[in-house]
Amino acid sequence: MATSPLLALSTALFCAFMAFMCLLPHHAQATTRHYEFNHLLPSSSSLFNLFQIELQNVTRLCHTKSIVTVNGKFPGPRVVAREGDRLLIKVTNHVPNNITIHWHGIRQLRSGWADGPAYITQCPIQNGQSYVYNFTVVGQRGTLFWHAHISWLRSTLYGPLIILPKKNVPYPFKKPYKEIPIIFGEWFNTDTEAIISQALQTGGGPNVSDAYTINGLPGPLYNCSAKDTFKLKVRAGKTYLLRIINAALNDELFFSVANHTLTVVDVDAIYVKPFQTHTILITPGQTSNVLLKTKPSFPAATFLMTARPYVTGQGTFDNSTVAGILEYETPPFLDSAAGIKNLPLYRPLLPPLNDTSFATDFAKKLRSLASPNFPANVPQNVDRRFFFTVGLGTSPCGQNTTCQGPNGTRFAASVNNISFVQPATALLQAHFTGQSSGVYSPDFPVSPLRWFNYTGNPPNNTVVGNGTKLVVLAFNTSVELVLQDTSILGAESHPLHLHGFNFFVVGQGFGNYDPNNDPKKFNLVDPVERNTVGVPAGGWVAIRFLADNPGVWFMHCHLEVHTSWGLKMAWLVLDGKLPNQKLLPPPSDLPKC
């Protein structure tokens, strides 16, 4: 892949870039977008690129630490495109950590080399190396995000990925007055790489975060944090589009704005039938566009918007609340009014931490728009059916060592009792070159090898198997996959993310999936379409998708601790017969392991 166009940006391209960065739809052009993400040490003087990533000292909660950032920003800058645009994003790594970037939710049609998960579609970008991510946005519009996809580096390395509709194509709802990204994260006072490294060494659970953040800011409910508060200033009588992203490492979150109603119009960059709610639930890896209509006149009050975790597991968690402030512009005739600076502050009432009934009801409200312009192309017939158990387990502690997991073991996690072993060579490269021997095996089980009461009393043996196994699919195979939570070490919700595809959530329920009766209740008309779904704690979810994208595609729990423990696997979709059904060759600058 030639990189000279990136290094010699014309004035016209620069102007186009600056225009769409303003996030105004009528400025953005359907075109090729050029970006450069550079990982630079603070001592570097190479600062001329449009995008730069550097180690930056950041202070939150009165703790300062050096983190990996884009352009010194935390969170990183927004990437904005229109549906149909081609993006070229150059990443140059000058920090000690290996780096990859994942464009979360982008279909990556025939461009799997740009997907980003380390050792799945690429080897990481090592110190001093560069790589150009080259992909086109096809059939998607809404809010996604980008993040690091190696170890726990996405704790600081993330940012919004906003896809506007094609030019002159309106939203299927009233055009909002303004559009505001709201991205949730987690702040750790200590180095997250050290946290997960220690946990993997000891076999125990990692330390939890010290705060949640809204757009990188913890807000006034934490100690030493009042000045680090996100404030959204609004006008009365206007409608705002909040582009909400959960980039937190390990927690699903409830979110609400005091005394305001939210209208959900889009999830995971797919339009849904609008519905109103006071609270949304959003798992790590999910996005949601919601409309917030302000009061018709100045309310003489300010309002907190808060988020806190939805908790289903038995482990420790960050039991805290992040808050931002929604404040109204003061009418000119009230500027001098007495007491205008001492307005009452209202706080929303969020569901209880373990409110599974709310989570279930909220999920049921999500339906595809299923309109002539935005159809729900649910596979009506299924070529292959799969049943995957997902959950925790243990692995033995090494000889002459002491581990901090259950009964002296190590925590582990698995899909169909196989805990994924990360290869030393990228799976996609091994497949494309025909050198898969010793890298992976194509025999991932289509169902558990041993049946048990998945949501009842767990078996005595909780030890997981290990391996690097893939499911192989012929091109255009229609797939039905049931994901079943298990009660091993406690039932827990798992947000499962599938790379390379959107899927339709055709059914879900609690207890053990019944293959005879549960499919009778599947929604094959307007099920929600998304890329990340929460497997209910002590329950199951059924999804369908069409394997029309050749390549190797990662599927994993988006709770980073579970991914670290092995709750992940991959699908290999073979080339089709036609030229436009085949994976393109790798770019010349593809990183080497």
Side-chain angles (χ1 to χ4, degrees):
M1 178 183 296
T3 59
S4 56
L6 294 170
L7 301 176
L9 288 172
S10 67
T11 302
L13 277 174
F14 178 79
C15 292
F17 165 79
M18 293 304 291
F20 86 79
M21 281 299 290
C22 294
L23 238 189
L24 296 177
H26 60 279
H27 285 170
Q29 301 296 315
T31 185
T32 299
R33 310 288 184 190
H34 296 259
Y35 297 84
E36 295 200 14
F37 282 23
N38 287 325
H39 299 262
L40 296 169
L41 291 171
S43 60
S44 173
S45 60
S46 301
L47 300 174
F48 64 89
N49 292 314
L50 293 174
F51 281 67
Q52 299 174 0
I53 298 181
E54 57 192 16
L55 290 173
Q56 178 75 30
N57 286 336
V58 173
T59 301
R60 297 289 186 271
L61 312 181
C62 286
H63 286 76
T64 301
K65 66 174 184 176
S66 180
I67 64 174
V68 182
T69 65
V70 178
N71 279 0
K73 295 180 180 179
F74 170 65
R78 66 191 68 171
V79 174
V80 184
R82 282 196 183 276
E83 180 186 349
D85 280 354
R86 178 188 179 202
L87 279 74
L88 296 172
I89 305 174
K90 184 177 181 180
V91 179
T92 303
N93 185 3
H94 290 289
V95 299
N97 308 86
N98 287 344
I99 295 292
T100 70
I101 300 292
H102 171 50
W103 315 96
H104 184 108
I106 292 291
R107 285 289 316 274
Q108 297 293 359
L109 291 168
R110 301 177 64 216
S111 57
W113 307 106
D115 192 40
Y119 300 102
I120 306 299
T121 59
Q122 68 168 99
C123 299
I125 307 165
Q126 300 176 35
N127 177 268
Q129 291 184 348
S130 297
Y131 181 46
V132 176
Y133 290 92
N134 179 359
F135 58 90
T136 300
V137 180
V138 180
Q140 295 177 280
R141 78 294 300 169
T143 302
L144 299 171
F145 69 117
W146 56 264
H147 61 79
H149 211 306
I150 183 169
S151 190
W152 278 27
L153 287 174
R154 76 175 181 88
S155 63
T156 65
L157 199 55
Y158 61 84
L161 173 52
I162 294 169
I163 307 170
L164 303 171
K166 291 181 179 179
K167 196 167 180 63
N168 299 321
V169 175
Y171 294 127
F173 47 83
K174 183 180 178 181
K175 183 179 179 181
Y177 175 67
K178 283 188 178 179
E179 304 180 9
I180 311 294
I182 302 286
I183 186 163
F184 300 122
E186 287 183 88
W187 172 262
F188 296 77
N189 287 332
T190 54
D191 178 22
T192 51
E193 291 302 277
I195 289 173
I196 186 56
S197 177
Q198 180 185 34
L200 294 178
Q201 287 176 3
T202 64
N207 293 338
V208 300
S209 57
D210 295 283
Y212 300 106
T213 58
I214 297 178
N215 293 351
L217 303 172
L221 303 184
Y222 295 100
N223 291 330
C224 193
S225 186
K227 63 180 178 55
D228 293 322
T229 299
F230 173 70
K231 294 183 179 180
L232 175 57
K233 199 151 197 172
V234 297
R235 288 186 177 181
K238 301 292 185 182
T239 298
Y240 292 78
L241 180 67
L242 305 184
R243 295 179 173 272
I244 301 174
I245 301 163
N246 189 350
L249 278 187
N250 291 313
D251 288 288
E252 303 181 56
L253 296 171
F254 295 118
F255 172 72
S256 183
V257 181
N259 294 13
H260 288 73
T261 300
L262 305 174
T263 301
V264 179
V265 295
D266 180 305
V267 296
D268 292 1
I270 297 292
Y271 296 130
V272 297
K273 290 182 172 68
F275 67 91
Q276 292 187 339
T277 181
H278 292 293
T279 303
I280 71 166
L281 175 62
I282 186 166
T283 76
Q286 289 183 341
T287 63
S288 184
N289 284 358
V290 303
L291 298 176
L292 181 146
K293 189 172 184 179
T294 58
K295 307 292 184 182
S297 59
F298 179 68
T302 53
F303 307 90
L304 286 183
M305 39 188 176
T306 62
R308 75 175 182 194
Y310 164 53
V311 181
T312 57
Q314 298 181 357
T316 56
F317 63 96
D318 180 353
N319 185 10
S320 66
T321 302
V322 59
I325 296 178
L326 181 77
E327 56 184 17
Y328 280 70
E329 292 184 9
T330 308
F333 62 88
L334 290 178
D335 279 348
S336 59
I340 200 68
K341 294 184 179 179
N342 297 312
L343 297 175
L345 177 64
Y346 293 99
R347 181 171 178 170
L349 180 65
L350 291 171
L353 292 169
N354 61 348
D355 196 341
T356 295
S357 63
F358 176 91
T360 304
D361 291 341
F362 184 80
K364 289 179 179 178
K365 293 177 182 177
L366 294 168
R367 292 284 186 270
S368 287
L369 201 55
S371 68
N373 290 332
F374 304 102
N377 296 317
V378 191
Q380 298 296 311
N381 300 302
V382 175
D383 297 320
R384 296 193 65 184
R385 287 181 166 86
F386 299 87
F387 182 83
F388 290 177
T389 56
V390 294
L392 304 185
T394 61
S395 59
C397 195
Q399 290 185 342
N400 302 320
T401 58
T402 302
C403 292
Q404 297 176 3
N407 300 317
T409 63
R410 294 178 173 275
F411 274 111
S414 67
V415 182
N416 273 354
N417 204 46
I418 296 176
S419 188
F420 186 85
V421 176
Q422 183 168 281
T425 301
L427 299 179
L428 185 59
Q429 183 178 348
H431 160 65
F432 189 84
T433 58
Q435 298 176 338
S436 61
S437 178
V439 179
Y440 67 82
S441 58
D443 56 352
F444 191 91
V446 300
S447 60
L449 300 179
R450 189 180 78 256
W451 184 92
F452 63 97
N453 184 359
Y454 306 115
T455 55
N457 293 326
N460 293 328
N461 182 7
T462 63
V463 176
V464 302
N466 297 283
T468 309
K469 298 175 181 289
L470 278 64
V471 172
V472 180
L473 297 172
F475 184 83
N476 253 7
T477 298
S478 57
V479 174
E480 181 179 286
L481 169 63
V482 175
L483 296 160
Q484 172 74 60
D485 183 37
T486 72
S487 58
I488 298 176
L489 302 186
E492 186 169 356
S493 176
H494 298 279
L496 263 290
H497 172 49
L498 176 61
H499 290 227
F501 299 94
N502 284 340
F503 51 76
F504 292 93
V505 183
V506 296
Q508 67 178 57
F510 291 98
N512 296 331
Y513 173 71
D514 182 344
N516 295 317
N517 294 311
D518 285 328
K520 298 175 184 177
K521 296 175 284 187
F522 282 179
N523 176 7
L524 302 180
V525 177
D526 63 349
V528 67
E529 181 181 354
R530 56 190 329 162
N531 63 63
T532 304
V533 64
V535 180
W540 56 270
V541 65
I543 66 174
R544 288 187 180 185
F545 65 94
L546 184 66
D548 58 353
N549 193 7
V552 175
W553 304 107
F554 206 23
M555 189 178 79
H556 61 96
C557 182
H558 224 274
L559 302 180
E560 207 64 38
V561 59
H562 292 173
T563 294
S564 299
W565 287 340
L567 208 166
K568 46 193 173 181
M569 55 81 67
W571 305 79
L572 168 56
V573 179
L574 301 175
D575 283 349
K577 296 179 180 179
L578 302 178
N580 65 351
Q581 298 173 343
K582 300 181 186 300
L583 177 68
L584 296 173
S588 59
D589 62 342
L590 184 71
K592 296 178 174 57
C593 291

